[in-house]
Amino acid sequence: MKLFLDTANIEEIREINRWGVLGGVTTNPTLVAKERSDPLQLWKEILAEVAGPVSLETTELDADGMYRQGVELAGLGPNAVVKVPMTPAGLEAGSRLVKDGIRINVTLVFSPAQAILAAEIGAFIVSPFLGRLDDVSADGMDLLRRICEIYQVQGYETNVLAASLRHPMHVVEAAAAGADIATMPYAVFRQLVKHPLTDIGLERFLQDWKGLREELEEGA
Ligand code: G3P
């Protein structure tokens, strides 16, 4: 399972990229708006920083406008993936983009039926939003499992991207369910690496090492 950052913050992207585990980035209009800078420059900077796919979201609502915007976004870099919403207009624009050879990410997916539609138009990525389902007392992980099962049975090649993840267990369970990609906020990425026993273990190792060095220095 590839690990993606769900952010438009270039510093967060640079930091996690240095770890050598950053498979790609997903952005959305809310995340871009948070940065309070020119979206075009920001997208270009992110595309240049990341080797893997970077999802850039359309904001036009009608199919023609969304298609035109998608073509422009795809032209920003070879690793650009165009995000379209799971709406009739999104399906229409998405189908046209796919026919042009442009990779699309169908976003705001909340049901298996919607995930089947995304696969049928040849989407590169489908994005079920797990956390937002959990927020309304539905089972986001159950949706992910259903989609993975259907895609396997049907032989769909669309990548399943577990989105709207809120904590490390979401990431672990998404991997167990067979997701191809998990996208998460910076804070969740940092939580993945943390374990109190790692910190305690490291502290003990360093104390023992210091003790040995002091003994050797005293004996010298
Ligand atoms: O970017 C798509 C998705 O991951 C958004 O998540 O946390 O806003 O529900 P969230």
Side-chain angles (χ1 to χ4, degrees):
M1 186 178 75
K2 300 278 182 214
L3 304 175
F4 284 23
L5 252 178
D6 198 24
T7 187
N9 183 284
I10 194 70
E11 294 310 322
E12 292 179 358
I13 293 167
R14 287 198 179 115
E15 181 181 330
I16 302 300
N17 210 8
R18 287 196 293 271
W19 294 5
V21 294
L22 188 63
V25 167
T26 49
T27 66
N28 63 36
T30 304
L31 294 170
V32 172
K34 256 172 75 179
E35 298 307 312
R36 296 278 163 234
S37 59
D38 176 40
L40 194 61
Q41 288 312 314
L42 189 57
W43 283 325
K44 284 183 182 169
E45 215 174 346
I46 298 171
L47 288 162
E49 171 67 26
V50 180
V54 177
S55 290
L56 312 176
E57 191 154 343
T58 54
T59 47
E60 296 293 332
L61 283 181
D62 68 290
D64 285 339
M66 201 187 296
Y67 168 75
R68 278 195 300 273
Q69 194 184 15
V71 171
E72 277 171 26
L73 291 175
L76 295 180
N79 51 341
V81 174
V82 177
K83 251 179 162 181
V84 296
M86 173 44 73
T87 59
L91 287 170
E92 187 181 329
S95 305
R96 287 164 64 186
L97 292 166
V98 170
K99 284 194 186 85
D100 287 355
I102 292 169
R103 295 186 299 177
I104 65 160
N105 174 349
V106 180
T107 189
L108 291 166
V109 165
F110 294 95
S111 78
Q114 292 179 325
I116 291 170
L117 288 170
E120 284 293 331
I121 65 165
F124 175 58
I125 291 172
V126 64
S127 292
F129 278 34
L130 277 60
R132 291 195 195 182
L133 276 174
D134 292 353
D135 289 344
V136 294
S137 301
D139 190 342
M141 200 52 68
D142 183 58
L143 170 66
L144 181 70
R145 288 193 197 99
R146 290 287 288 149
I147 295 172
C148 289
E149 185 190 346
I150 292 165
Y151 276 29
Q152 194 169 17
V153 169
Q154 294 295 327
Y156 287 141
E157 287 178 4
T158 298
N159 291 288
V160 180
L161 180 151
S164 183
L165 303 184
R166 303 278 161 80
H167 48 73
M169 280 314 290
H170 264 156
V171 180
V172 172
E173 290 300 320
D180 300 290
I181 303 162
T183 194
M184 68 206 83
Y186 169 79
V188 176
F189 231 115
R190 288 200 59 95
Q191 279 177 304
L192 288 185
V193 79
K194 288 298 284 181
H195 197 288
L197 289 179
T198 304
D199 297 339
I200 292 165
L202 183 61
E203 200 185 327
R204 170 69 64 82
F205 285 156
L206 293 180
Q207 263 174 17
D208 291 345
W209 190 251
K210 195 168 161 243
L212 171 68
R213 298 281 306 249
E214 281 167 3
E215 259 177 51
L216 292 174
E217 274 163 27
E218 276 165 23

